[in-house]
Amino acid sequence: ADGELVQYHYGLKDLVTILFYIFIAVILHAVVQEYALDKINRRLHLSKVKHSKFNESGQLVAFHLTSVIWCLYVVVTEGYISNPRSLWENYPHVYLPFQVKFFYLCQLAYWLHALPELYFQKVRKEEIPRQLRCIALYLVHIAGAYLLNLTRLGLILLLLQYLAEFFFHMARLVYFTDENNEKLFNVWAVVFVVTRLFTLTLYILVIGFGLPRVENQALNPERGNFFSFLFNNILFRMSVLLLVCLFQASVMWRFIHFQLRRWREYWNEQSSRKRAAAGAKQQAKPLKRDSGYHENGVVKAENGTSPRTKKLKSP
């Protein structure tokens, strides 16, 4: 009422809030599955493997689209995009606006709810290690940004990551409905490369130039300053940047390898189709047509006379 801005800090009560929103995420997951994905699956008649991947991509498309819109709204209203210096100024960012804190709690709740969903969705054993690895990576990065007071940087990185993931899973959904339609995979490839470049640039900007200029460089866990003092050491700063560059290079290498394999399979398929079409043309023999035309089962010449030679009767 008096116009004061209320801000929040993390604490043990966050665990109760996260537990509540885990149940909300389970309910929303079931709603999307029953009223959207199951109805589409009945029409497509997919195999068991494609059925599982279709459900996974369908759920993640809904989640990533919601998260991208929500995260974009937060970073725009908080001014993190219009003022990039705010990503490292006044670090540590201990006190959070309500919408930033609520966004992080919902993100943690969603990825924690994905663990019991592996059982509810009866995911195949071959797919469980990959999905567990993906869930663990998201939980570590989101919780790390939340607990280490790097929430502003984490929001931008999540926005870039979710944007690329949205196009990938959307392309998979379109591919399952029409296997000849791979145009969205090309769109995803462009978005993926652009987001990787922005991510690497953001890391260099914040770690290489931003955090070393923070005024409060002393280690003070009580105030939330955990490691900004380390960035004064140029060796530590360069080591972190080197690890980031190596990780991004490995991601790009796997992406390029995947694209080359996909293009090679595409061209092999096209060349096999051309060879099959050429072989079919060679095997096809041209049909010999009789001179004249058929009328009531009798072959007649073009002038109306019969093409057979007439026998002359003896007088």
Side-chain angles (χ1 to χ4, degrees), residues 74 131 194 237 301:
V74 172
Q131 295 200 23
V194 172
R237 187 162 69 247

Side-chain angles (χ1 to χ4, degrees), residues 121-188:
Q121 295 292 323
K122 299 179 180 180
V123 178
R124 296 185 304 120
K125 293 182 179 180
E126 297 81 4
E127 292 290 327
I128 289 178
R130 178 185 63 83
Q131 295 200 23
L132 284 177
R133 185 166 58 250
C134 178
I135 294 169
L137 286 173
Y138 273 112
L139 285 175
V140 168
H141 283 81
I142 295 173
Y146 184 64
L147 297 176
L148 297 177
N149 303 313
L150 291 169
T151 51
R152 299 180 182 181
L153 177 62
L155 282 173
I156 305 297
L157 294 177
L158 277 178
L159 177 61
L160 296 173
Q161 175 67 19
Y162 285 165
L163 185 63
E165 289 292 312
F166 167 74
F167 280 101
F168 172 73
H169 290 288
M170 194 67 196
R172 274 217 305 187
L173 289 181
V174 175
Y175 175 76
F176 288 141
T177 56
D178 183 10
E179 294 186 356
N180 295 322
N181 191 349
E182 297 186 1
K183 294 181 180 179
L184 269 182
F185 278 111
N186 298 328
V187 177
W188 164 70

Side-chain angles (χ1 to χ4, degrees), residues 238-291:
M238 295 303 295
S239 299
V240 172
L241 289 176
L242 180 61
L243 289 175
V244 169
C245 292
L246 289 176
F247 176 75
Q248 296 296 326
S250 66
V251 172
M252 286 299 300
W253 169 252
R254 285 183 294 175
F255 169 77
I256 293 172
H257 181 71
F258 169 76
Q259 290 295 326
L260 290 176
R261 184 180 61 184
R262 189 169 71 90
W263 289 339
R264 185 167 57 249
E265 291 175 353
Y266 173 77
W267 288 114
N268 289 338
E269 183 181 356
Q270 292 295 323
S271 61
S272 62
R273 288 181 179 178
K274 290 180 180 179
R275 287 196 298 268
K281 288 181 179 179
Q282 291 178 359
Q283 291 178 0
K285 295 181 179 179
L287 297 176
K288 295 181 180 180
R289 295 182 180 179
D290 297 324
S291 59

Side-chain angles (χ1 to χ4, degrees), residues 22-306:
I22 286 176
F23 293 115
I24 298 297
V26 171
I27 295 172
L28 294 176
H29 190 113
V31 170
V32 173
Q33 184 68 41
E34 182 176 356
Y35 291 98
L37 299 179
D38 286 345
K39 292 183 178 180
I40 299 174
N41 275 320
R42 294 191 194 100
R43 296 180 180 179
L44 296 178
H45 303 288
L46 300 174
S47 62
K48 290 184 178 180
V49 177
K50 290 184 178 180
H51 179 83
S52 176
K53 292 182 178 180
F54 184 87
N55 289 337
E56 177 190 359
S57 293
Q59 294 287 347
L60 289 176
V61 161
F63 169 71
H64 288 318
L65 179 61
T66 305
S67 297
V68 164
I69 296 173
W70 189 3
C71 188
L72 184 62
Y73 174 79
V74 172
V75 297
V76 169
T77 54
E78 294 296 331
Y80 300 153
I81 293 181
S82 59
N83 183 21
R85 295 173 61 89
S86 62
L87 297 179
W88 62 82
E89 283 184 342
N90 301 322
Y91 178 83
H93 308 130
V94 179
Y95 299 104
L96 308 175
F98 171 77
Q99 59 179 355
V100 175
K101 180 181 176 66
F102 187 54
F103 177 81
Y104 271 93
L105 294 182
C106 290
Q107 292 294 315
L108 291 172
Y110 179 85
W111 289 111
L112 286 172
H113 111 280
L115 294 174
E117 286 294 342
L118 296 177
Y119 173 76
F120 295 148
Q121 295 292 323
K122 299 179 180 180
V123 178
R124 296 185 304 120
K125 293 182 179 180
E126 297 81 4
E127 292 290 327
I128 289 178
R130 178 185 63 83
Q131 295 200 23
L132 284 177
R133 185 166 58 250
C134 178
I135 294 169
L137 286 173
Y138 273 112
L139 285 175
V140 168
H141 283 81
I142 295 173
Y146 184 64
L147 297 176
L148 297 177
N149 303 313
L150 291 169
T151 51
R152 299 180 182 181
L153 177 62
L155 282 173
I156 305 297
L157 294 177
L158 277 178
L159 177 61
L160 296 173
Q161 175 67 19
Y162 285 165
L163 185 63
E165 289 292 312
F166 167 74
F167 280 101
F168 172 73
H169 290 288
M170 194 67 196
R172 274 217 305 187
L173 289 181
V174 175
Y175 175 76
F176 288 141
T177 56
D178 183 10
E179 294 186 356
N180 295 322
N181 191 349
E182 297 186 1
K183 294 181 180 179
L184 269 182
F185 278 111
N186 298 328
V187 177
W188 164 70
V190 175
V191 174
F192 182 85
V193 173
V194 172
T195 53
R196 291 303 99 191
L197 292 176
F198 271 104
T199 300
L200 184 59
T201 304
L202 195 61
Y203 271 119
I204 296 174
L205 182 64
V206 175
I207 296 176
F209 300 98
L211 289 178
R213 298 181 181 180
V214 174
E215 295 180 358
N216 300 322
Q217 296 287 349
L219 175 63
N220 191 353
E222 295 181 357
R223 296 187 57 185
N225 194 342
F226 294 102
F227 52 83
S228 64
F229 71 99
L230 294 174
F231 290 97
N232 277 332
N233 189 339
I234 188 171
L235 292 178
F236 177 81
R237 187 162 69 247
M238 295 303 295
S239 299
V240 172
L241 289 176
L242 180 61
L243 289 175
V244 169
C245 292
L246 289 176
F247 176 75
Q248 296 296 326
S250 66
V251 172
M252 286 299 300
W253 169 252
R254 285 183 294 175
F255 169 77
I256 293 172
H257 181 71
F258 169 76
Q259 290 295 326
L260 290 176
R261 184 180 61 184
R262 189 169 71 90
W263 289 339
R264 185 167 57 249
E265 291 175 353
Y266 173 77
W267 288 114
N268 289 338
E269 183 181 356
Q270 292 295 323
S271 61
S272 62
R273 288 181 179 178
K274 290 180 180 179
R275 287 196 298 268
K281 288 181 179 179
Q282 291 178 359
Q283 291 178 0
K285 295 181 179 179
L287 297 176
K288 295 181 180 180
R289 295 182 180 179
D290 297 324
S291 59
Y293 64 95
H294 293 265
E295 182 178 347
N296 296 329
V298 179
V299 180
K300 294 186 177 181
E302 294 180 356
N303 56 3
T305 61
S306 175

